Amino acid sequence: CSFLWEDYKPSMIYWDVVDTLRKIFLTGCIMFIDRNEGSNKMLRLLIANVVCALHHTILLAFNPYKKKDNYYLAFISNFLLICCFSLGTILKLCSREDIGTEENDVTSASCSSFIGRALDSFKASVLVMALTITMLVTTISLVTALAVNKIRVPTLHMVSTALPPNLELREPYTYHLFMSYVLETGTK
């Protein structure tokens, strides 16, 4: 059962519970908010964005993971969630379904005031697609950079310092000799 908390720092062993509650809220409980007009109004998007931003802030403040790679992955995935909810907000603000109505004028004004310039639904969709492609390329680039850096990291570390040993050789020497008293099991 230790697999539930072995990736977390000792003071943050319940982080998986917090993360699971966030996931349950974003996938299930959010459906109970504004049940009559939930898919037509922005309340669900705004609450989901606030929950993700709050989780992101807590993640930045406490850094619950032992390994930096897990922290970076959680940071990037939560940041992408915030971006997705923000892009959904842009699409919802700038959509014009009822052309020529008073509601459409309000939608156009809110799109202009929140986004910074007047966008119609096509331009907003193009903006969202461009930002989504940018997020995808950035994520793939970061994961590739992490993988390349992980491959280049030496696998031999000193037990006392957890740092790689100094393997510099003086001028006439060309080889190292490694002698270990550790048995096959990895124990002394």
Side-chain angles (χ1 to χ4, degrees):
C1 192
S2 67
F3 68 90
L4 291 174
W5 61 80
E6 67 185 5
D7 291 334
Y8 307 112
K9 294 177 180 175
S11 63
M12 300 296 289
I13 61 173
Y14 294 108
W15 182 255
D16 200 36
V17 174
V18 173
D19 196 35
T20 303
L21 288 174
R22 176 189 62 95
K23 291 174 186 176
I24 289 171
F25 179 79
L26 289 177
T27 56
C29 296
I30 197 109
M31 298 305 293
F32 296 111
I33 296 173
D34 199 9
R35 292 183 71 176
N36 295 333
E37 298 291 330
S39 60
N40 295 329
K41 300 295 178 188
M42 301 251 320
L43 185 61
R44 287 184 185 172
L45 280 172
L46 292 175
I47 290 175
N49 212 349
V50 167
V51 167
C52 286
L54 180 64
H55 182 266
H56 199 66
T57 304
I58 294 170
L59 181 70
L60 286 172
F62 292 108
N63 187 7
Y65 297 99
K66 287 181 183 175
K67 296 180 183 176
K68 288 188 180 208
D69 292 343
N70 291 342
Y71 174 70
Y72 294 146
L73 182 63
F75 179 82
I76 290 170
S77 64
N78 200 35
F79 179 73
L80 289 176
L81 264 179
I82 291 171
C83 289
C84 287
F85 288 129
S86 299
L87 295 176
T89 304
I90 290 172
L91 279 179
K92 194 67 180 162
L93 275 176
C94 297
S95 67
R96 294 183 184 175
E97 296 173 359
D98 303 321
I99 297 175
T101 63
E102 184 178 319
E103 183 179 324
N104 185 35
D105 295 337
V106 171
T107 301
S108 178
S110 60
C111 179
S112 175
S113 65
F114 287 116
I115 307 304
R117 63 181 185 159
L119 293 175
D120 59 0
S121 58
F122 177 75
K123 289 179 183 177
S125 299
V126 169
L127 175 68
V128 167
M129 288 302 297
L131 291 174
T132 304
I133 290 170
T134 303
M135 287 188 311
L136 181 65
V137 169
T138 303
T139 303
I140 290 172
S141 301
L142 289 173
V143 168
T144 303
L146 284 173
V148 167
N149 287 339
K150 194 69 170 177
I151 291 170
R152 292 182 183 169
V153 171
T155 56
L156 184 65
H157 294 280
M158 302 293 288
V159 174
S160 60
T161 63
L163 297 173
N166 183 4
L167 298 177
E168 295 176 359
L169 291 173
R170 288 188 250 166
E171 191 60 43
Y173 303 107
T174 56
Y175 297 103
H176 285 280
L177 175 66
F178 178 73
M179 296 177 67
S180 175
Y181 63 93
V182 177
L183 302 176
E184 287 181 21
T185 62
T187 58
K188 295 180 183 179

